[in-house]
Amino acid sequence: MNDKKKGFILLDVLTGLFIFSLGFAVMLALINTAYIKNSYTDNILQAVNLASSTVDEITVVLLEDPSAVNRYLNGTERDESGRFSRTVCCEWDSQNLLKISVKIIWTELKDQKEYNLTYLHYIAE
């Protein structure tokens, strides 16, 4: 082989390595983005489930005993569940409608996120 062909082979190998490393870097960026989005979605789903289960617990108690409504009208309750903080507030929206508000707060990537769920529960007299 002459010296001119050896230079072209080296240039081809370097070009191939550059294209491979560029593709590899793009794949790593995609995997990182997918991981962050998956984490965010998981936190949202946990917040929705926590808020929904809180509303379900309150409505089951009120369906069994409508006079228990006074227990929930005392003001705002706040508690912690793992990395989530839950705030529950019940108040009358109209004469027979009880408004149940649940706010779930958590920290994600140094940002505070929140999910709010408001539910109207009819209480027959």
Side-chain angles (χ1 to χ4, degrees), residues 10-23:
L10 180 61
L11 186 60
D12 289 342
V13 169
L14 289 176
T15 304
L17 284 174
F18 174 73
I19 291 171
F20 175 76
S21 63
L22 187 65

Side-chain angles (χ1 to χ4, degrees), residues 3-62:
D3 289 337
K4 289 183 180 181
K5 289 202 176 209
K6 285 183 183 177
F8 280 115
I9 292 173
L10 180 61
L11 186 60
D12 289 342
V13 169
L14 289 176
T15 304
L17 284 174
F18 174 73
I19 291 171
F20 175 76
S21 63
L22 187 65
F24 191 72
V26 168
M27 290 301 292
L28 283 177
L30 288 174
I31 290 171
N32 187 31
T33 302
Y35 177 76
I36 290 171
K37 293 295 182 185
N38 186 29
S39 174
Y40 175 72
T41 304
D42 184 48
N43 287 336
I44 288 287
L45 286 175
Q46 287 184 21
V48 168
N49 288 336
L50 184 59
S52 297
S53 65
T54 302
V55 169
D56 288 344
E57 290 171 12
I58 293 172
T59 55
V60 164
V61 169
L62 293 177

